[in-house]
Amino acid sequence: MKKPPTAVQSLAPAEVPVWPEQQSDQQRRLITRKHDSSKTLTRPKHGKSFAWSQSLCQGIENLHPFDSKKFGKVVSGLERAGILRRGQLVTAVAADEPMLRDVHDAEYLHSMRTSPRKMAQVVELPPVACLPNFIVQRYLHHPQCVHVGGTMLAAALALEHGWSINLGGGMHHAHRKGGAGWCAYDDHMLALRRLRRSTDNKISKALYIDLDVHQGNGVERDKLHFDDDALHILDMYNSHLWPGDVYAQAAINTHVPFSTGIADAAYLNQLQDALDTAFRECQPNIVLYNAGTDILDGDPLGRCCISPTGIAERDQMVWMKAISARVPICMVLSGGYASRSAAVVTDSIEQLFKIFSLGSMIENR
């Protein structure tokens, strides 16, 4: 068995990293997920904590089109498919305020800690403004911070092992001074800046691929704020939808707006051209992939006609590009509002495991 990759150069084209059998703890670091440490945790015999705590208070999720149980459904689906087993998930801890201050404004952070009205604006649920703040902090703010911690952890694991998936994350509308669209904090920018510091900036050039149906304006605004020329952004989104942030578009290097109703063939052709351009121009040290599934046909917000097969092919195209270029990839799930979104995500990840032999280290244990 080959040695585990510890640097970008250790990944050969069309190869997938595998780890020595004796590194059983590291073998468990396949996929990161979020959890709420304020909830009761069950402890299986293997000693790992496995619990899924909902991001919302009971019943509030029914007021918003986003399925707050989506990420938990993906975990359950992967377990049923035999992709995940006990001991293979790494739980993330919440990012604390000093971590968040690396990107976010102190005034904004204070309002998120103290104002249910501010949280109501971010998650687009007006009734939240009427809740006691301790409830908002426990059931809404804390899980958002764990999403950030999950993406930070996933980025580090991708660098260590060549790939990772955070079963959560992707809050691409959040920026330094604010949040919107259910996104409180810019987990990608926070993770990237932390990763650069931890590697003494050896990992500097990053390719951020945003394939959520909405423009990733938060990441783009933060790139402009930090004047981050080493961050190449590929953003492919429905230009007829919110947010329509013209100012943020200046940060996009590979800009692929498309129209409502786009179907598989046109979408995948445009994506292939965009990926070729982005990888050629950026030559990244790491790929950060925001894999929203709100482009799915029937999604109430996406207004696209992409089939489940199209989404799986999209993910495979991105992963193939990263692996062929010997670049670690960190994937997060981001948006997706259709009732079948979780099943589509689960199926796509299962196909990634099979095509790229991501589960080979499990079979060899």
Side-chain angles (χ1 to χ4, degrees):
M1 186 174 293
K2 298 181 181 180
K3 293 177 65 178
T6 56
V8 176
Q9 293 80 4
S10 62
L11 267 178
E15 285 189 298
V16 177
V18 293
W19 312 322
E21 292 182 0
Q22 63 266 29
Q23 292 181 327
S24 57
D25 288 339
Q26 292 184 357
Q27 286 179 326
R28 295 170 181 171
R29 298 178 181 179
L30 300 182
I31 298 180
T32 64
R33 62 177 286 192
K34 72 183 185 66
H35 80 290
D36 185 341
S37 58
S38 65
K39 289 288 190 178
T40 302
L41 299 178
T42 60
R43 293 192 177 275
K45 295 179 181 178
H46 298 290
K48 282 286 185 181
S49 298
F50 299 93
W52 189 262
S53 40
Q54 298 178 9
S55 300
L56 298 174
C57 304
Q58 186 66 31
I60 292 180
E61 65 270 21
N62 297 324
L63 302 176
H64 194 279
F66 183 74
D67 181 5
S68 67
K69 300 176 182 178
K70 166 186 166 182
F71 304 121
K73 291 176 181 177
V74 172
V75 172
S76 298
L78 292 173
E79 290 174 341
R80 286 193 300 270
I83 298 298
L84 292 181
R85 303 172 191 173
R86 288 186 174 184
Q88 293 164 9
L89 294 174
V90 179
T91 53
V93 297
D96 58 22
E97 185 157 334
M99 292 179 181
L100 298 174
R101 276 202 298 264
D102 185 41
V103 168
H104 291 281
D105 179 77
E107 182 177 350
Y108 173 62
L109 292 175
H110 177 76
S111 68
M112 290 297 288
R113 287 198 321 272
T114 61
S115 173
R117 178 174 297 181
K118 173 58 71 173
M119 180 61 75
Q121 294 171 354
V122 169
V123 299
E124 300 176 350
L125 289 176
V128 169
C130 302
L131 293 174
N133 190 47
F134 78 91
I135 292 179
V136 172
Q137 292 301 304
R138 178 172 180 176
Y139 292 100
L140 286 170
H141 184 253
H142 181 79
Q144 293 270 357
C145 294
V146 180
H147 274 293
V148 175
T151 302
M152 286 180 168
L153 175 60
L157 293 176
L159 187 61
E160 183 178 356
H161 299 305
W163 66 275
S164 67
I165 302 173
N166 178 17
L167 298 179
M171 298 185 286
H172 64 158
H173 298 305
H175 57 89
R176 180 171 176 265
K177 291 191 175 183
W182 204 266
C183 303
Y185 301 117
D186 185 353
D187 55 328
H188 272 122
M189 184 61 77
L190 284 159
L192 177 58
R193 287 171 61 82
R194 187 177 181 86
L195 194 65
R196 285 169 169 167
R197 286 193 302 273
S198 68
T199 62
D200 294 326
N201 216 38
K202 292 182 176 67
I203 301 300
S204 58
K205 292 193 297 182
L207 173 56
Y208 173 68
I209 300 174
D210 195 332
L211 301 185
D212 187 278
V213 79
H214 300 99
Q215 177 191 358
N217 63 317
V219 180
E220 292 155 11
R221 281 179 169 262
D222 284 337
K223 173 184 172 177
L224 294 175
H225 171 77
F226 291 108
D227 194 22
D228 191 344
D229 292 333
L231 173 60
H232 186 111
I233 294 179
L234 187 167
D235 199 350
M236 186 172 179
Y237 61 92
N238 187 338
S239 60
H240 297 173
L241 302 181
W242 177 89
D245 193 334
V246 176
Y247 170 79
Q249 289 177 10
I252 304 174
N253 303 92
T254 306
H255 192 190
V256 193
F258 58 80
S259 299
T260 294
I262 193 170
D264 288 12
Y267 181 90
L268 294 174
N269 286 337
Q270 291 182 51
L271 175 59
Q272 186 63 66
D273 291 342
L275 289 172
D276 290 343
T277 298
F279 273 86
R280 182 177 62 252
E281 294 182 354
C282 178
Q283 299 181 355
N285 303 131
I286 190 167
V287 170
L288 303 175
Y289 176 31
N290 198 55
T293 51
D294 37 12
I295 59 171
L296 181 65
D297 185 24
D299 189 281
L301 298 184
R303 304 178 190 173
C304 298
C305 299
I306 307 300
S307 69
T309 299
I311 286 180
E313 291 181 5
R314 174 201 72 170
D315 292 344
Q316 292 160 27
M317 288 169 62
V318 174
W319 278 67
M320 179 60 75
K321 265 297 193 183
I323 290 173
S324 297
R326 310 182 186 185
V327 178
I329 180 169
C330 170
M331 172 175 160
V332 304
L333 300 190
S334 198
Y337 308 92
S339 59
R340 58 179 179 159
S341 179
V344 171
V345 171
T346 302
D347 181 67
S348 180
I349 294 176
E350 184 177 358
Q351 292 188 49
L352 290 175
F353 265 68
K354 293 177 179 178
I355 292 172
F356 300 110
S357 301
L358 300 182
S360 61
M361 69 291 293
I362 300 174
E363 298 167 1
N364 293 329
R365 288 185 64 180

